[in-house]
Amino acid sequence: MSSEAARRVGIAPSILTADLGRLADAVAAAEAGGADVMHIDVMDGQFVPQISFGPLIVEAVREAVSLPIEVHMMVADPLEQLEPLAEAGAGRLIFHLEATNEPQREIARARELSCEVGIAISPLTPVSALEPWLPQLDEVTVMLVYPGRGGQELIPELLDKVRELRAALDALGSDAVIEVDGGVKAHNARECAEAGASLLVAGSAVYNPNETPQAALAALRTALEEPFG
Ligand code: DX5
Ligand code: ZN
């Protein structure tokens, strides 16, 4: 088995397609099913057209589970949002590189708030744009779809960015988490891990009308652990 395949790959359910009328049950089911991190997609209606969640939902999730919480901030002004999200219980704050002119300010503020820091890049942003910041990051999210909604198909060509990022982080000796977000399913989870991802966001793969979150998580885990051949 290659070293990439041997790396423990985590699963981060995104609640975007969960039954929000039963949010506490939905996140408890993910925790019971072995999720590693809860991924909360904050959308402000400006950086992306949709409006989704804010700090109150982060707080509700924090009260329902003991898993770590990461917040994917699809917001036009991340600097303003860091503090309320940290206070609501986010352990990791992930802002978009495209939303800031001076990432150093967001990085420093998130650190002051004692949070882990990640940067997300949208499909059109190259890995090279991240390079100045890589040594300071705990995590990078590579979007495999255009951000803004759940249930889209993964764009396979974007996995090349994951390979490039893995090489860049290895060259730095960084153990930052590489997360992939968008269109991850049991049938492509292994490919994401092989490309170098260490955390897979799974939205509609976990929260869908056809199976329980526990069954869906078990299928993802099996897909990741199956030996080759
Ligand atoms: C999309 C969000 C994702 C989304 C993933 O902009 O960032 O986290 O919830 O959903 P799926 O896994 O269904 O593509
Ligand atoms: Zn997300």
Side-chain angles (χ1 to χ4, degrees), residues 14 39-41 72 74 143 181 201:
S14 154
H39 179 97
I40 303 185
D41 291 297
H72 176 192
M74 284 166 273
M143 294 304 301
D181 188 1
V201 175

Short mmCIF file of all heavy atoms in Angstrom, two decimals, residues 14 39-41 72 74 143 181 201, ligand 2:
data_model
loop_
_atom_site.label_atom_id
_atom_site.label_comp_id
_atom_site.label_asym_id
_atom_site.label_seq_id
_atom_site.Cartn_x
_atom_site.Cartn_y
_atom_site.Cartn_z
N SER A 14 -20.75 17.62 6.16
CA SER A 14 -21.28 18.98 6.05
C SER A 14 -22.78 18.92 6.23
O SER A 14 -23.46 18.12 5.57
CB SER A 14 -20.96 19.55 4.67
OG SER A 14 -21.91 20.54 4.32
N HIS A 39 -18.35 19.86 9.67
CA HIS A 39 -18.01 20.94 8.72
C HIS A 39 -19.26 21.81 8.54
O HIS A 39 -20.30 21.32 8.10
CB HIS A 39 -17.60 20.27 7.40
CG HIS A 39 -17.25 21.21 6.29
ND1 HIS A 39 -15.95 21.56 6.00
CD2 HIS A 39 -18.02 21.83 5.37
CE1 HIS A 39 -15.94 22.37 4.95
NE2 HIS A 39 -17.18 22.56 4.53
N ILE A 40 -19.14 23.06 8.91
CA ILE A 40 -20.30 23.95 8.83
C ILE A 40 -20.03 25.02 7.78
O ILE A 40 -19.04 25.77 7.87
CB ILE A 40 -20.62 24.57 10.20
CG1 ILE A 40 -20.85 23.44 11.21
CG2 ILE A 40 -21.85 25.47 10.09
CD1 ILE A 40 -21.27 23.90 12.58
N ASP A 41 -20.91 25.08 6.79
CA ASP A 41 -20.76 25.98 5.65
C ASP A 41 -21.50 27.29 5.92
O ASP A 41 -22.73 27.33 5.86
CB ASP A 41 -21.32 25.32 4.39
CG ASP A 41 -20.48 24.15 3.93
OD1 ASP A 41 -19.30 24.39 3.59
OD2 ASP A 41 -20.98 23.01 3.95
N HIS A 72 -16.39 26.58 7.36
CA HIS A 72 -15.98 26.96 6.01
C HIS A 72 -16.70 28.27 5.70
O HIS A 72 -17.91 28.29 5.49
CB HIS A 72 -16.39 25.83 5.05
CG HIS A 72 -16.11 26.12 3.62
ND1 HIS A 72 -16.61 25.35 2.59
CD2 HIS A 72 -15.37 27.09 3.01
CE1 HIS A 72 -16.20 25.84 1.43
NE2 HIS A 72 -15.46 26.90 1.66
N MET A 74 -17.76 30.95 3.57
CA MET A 74 -17.99 31.49 2.22
C MET A 74 -18.60 32.86 2.39
O MET A 74 -19.81 33.09 2.15
CB MET A 74 -18.88 30.52 1.44
CG MET A 74 -18.10 29.29 0.98
SD MET A 74 -19.17 27.96 0.43
CE MET A 74 -19.48 27.15 1.99
N MET A 143 -11.41 23.24 -3.06
CA MET A 143 -12.78 23.04 -3.54
C MET A 143 -12.75 22.21 -4.81
O MET A 143 -12.01 22.51 -5.75
CB MET A 143 -13.46 24.39 -3.84
CG MET A 143 -13.70 25.29 -2.64
SD MET A 143 -14.66 24.54 -1.31
CE MET A 143 -16.20 24.11 -2.15
N ASP A 181 -13.42 19.39 -0.77
CA ASP A 181 -14.80 19.76 -0.49
C ASP A 181 -15.59 19.87 -1.79
O ASP A 181 -15.24 20.66 -2.67
CB ASP A 181 -14.83 21.10 0.27
CG ASP A 181 -16.21 21.47 0.77
OD1 ASP A 181 -17.17 20.69 0.57
OD2 ASP A 181 -16.33 22.56 1.37
N VAL A 201 -14.62 16.29 3.00
CA VAL A 201 -15.95 16.81 3.34
C VAL A 201 -16.97 15.96 2.61
O VAL A 201 -16.81 15.65 1.43
CB VAL A 201 -16.11 18.29 2.91
CG1 VAL A 201 -17.53 18.78 3.18
CG2 VAL A 201 -15.10 19.16 3.64
ZN ZN B 2 -17.78 23.42 2.66
#
